[in-house]
Structure formats: structure tokens, C-alpha cells
Amino acid sequence: GFGGGAGGENDFGDIVAPAAALGLAIGRVGCLLAGCCYGAPCDLPWAIHYPHTHETHGLAVHPAPLYETGLMLIVMAILLKLDRKKPFEGYTLWWFFIMASMVRFGLEYIRGDRLVWMGDLNLSASQVVSILGMVLGLAMLGWLSTQKLIRVQVANQLSKN
């Protein structure tokens, strides 16, 4: 299955989730090198400077792609640990949705290319999508947990008969 289907112990989504986190981490290194997804101006000692021809005009900015690389490597490590003792299929995948969404939601506040979509709430389109990802992940974890509980109760009833 994918994300909680009847695919056996090694659900495809659970297998792919840590690799997806690694892929996002590696992809952000490409963003750093390409100059996209740059951070907001800052005066921190680890700020980076793109060339003066870049849209940051050589200002010191947060290395936002590197922050995301580091955070997604942490997410990958957590997912690998969670997957070892997952209580049901889809557990690792939906935790990926939640954690990746949390990372993106938070980092949006220090992005220099951030476009506010919902001005009254100071949310970018990426943050709105991140909220949806977190809600979906939590809802699926709750639903799958309930489904497992029902299966256990049915199995217990059948074994009594």
C-alpha cells in the first residue's frame, strides 16, 4: 500500500519517506548554488553573500537553503528511527508530511523571496500548503491508528470464538 494501505510490513510510503527527506536536503544545496530560495537580509556571522548581480545585491542574507538542508537531514534521521518501531503502515510517511511541513512553514519567515499570500495572516502560499500538510498528516495518523485499533479488537473477538 501507499501511506497506510494493505501492503504488508513495508508500506511503500514508509520506505520512500526518509529518501524524500534526503532528496529535499540535497535539492536545497542546488538551490544555494543556483541562488534561488535565498534568505532574508541578516547580520549573523554565518550570513552569506551572493554576487552583486544577484537580486540580493550582495547583501548579507540567511543561508536559508542550508538551514533546510540541515533540518531535512534531521528529519530523515528521525524518520529512520521512527520507522524501526512503527505501530502501523503509513506511520513514517505521515510523520514525513508533518515534519517537512513544519520545516517549510518555519523557514518561510526567513526567506528573502517570500511572497505573502494571505496578508492579514502574514502567510505565504507555501505556509498555507504547509498547514494543510500538517493537518493531513495528523488526520491520517489518527485515522490509521483508529483502524489498527479496530483490527486488533476484531482479531481479539475472533480469537475468543
Side-chain angles (χ1 to χ4, degrees), residues 81-155:
K81 188 167 179 114
L82 286 175
D83 196 59
R84 286 190 207 126
K85 297 198 179 188
K86 64 183 174 186
F88 48 83
E89 296 170 35
Y91 188 76
T92 309
L93 173 70
W94 297 112
W95 269 111
F96 167 72
F97 266 70
I98 294 165
M99 289 188 281
S101 295
M102 290 170 60
V103 166
R104 185 58 187 262
F105 185 91
L107 286 178
E108 276 293 300
Y109 286 113
I110 59 157
R111 292 271 301 258
D113 61 347
R114 180 172 184 261
L115 298 172
V116 175
W117 191 48
M118 297 178 74
D120 293 345
L121 299 174
N122 191 26
L123 295 176
S124 69
S126 295
Q127 287 174 309
V128 172
V129 171
S130 293
I131 291 169
L132 295 174
M134 287 183 266
V135 169
L136 177 62
L138 289 168
M140 287 302 296
L141 285 174
W143 183 75
L144 291 170
S145 178
T146 302
Q147 294 303 306
K148 181 185 179 191
L149 182 61
I150 290 169
R151 284 193 301 273
V152 168
Q153 289 173 344
V154 168

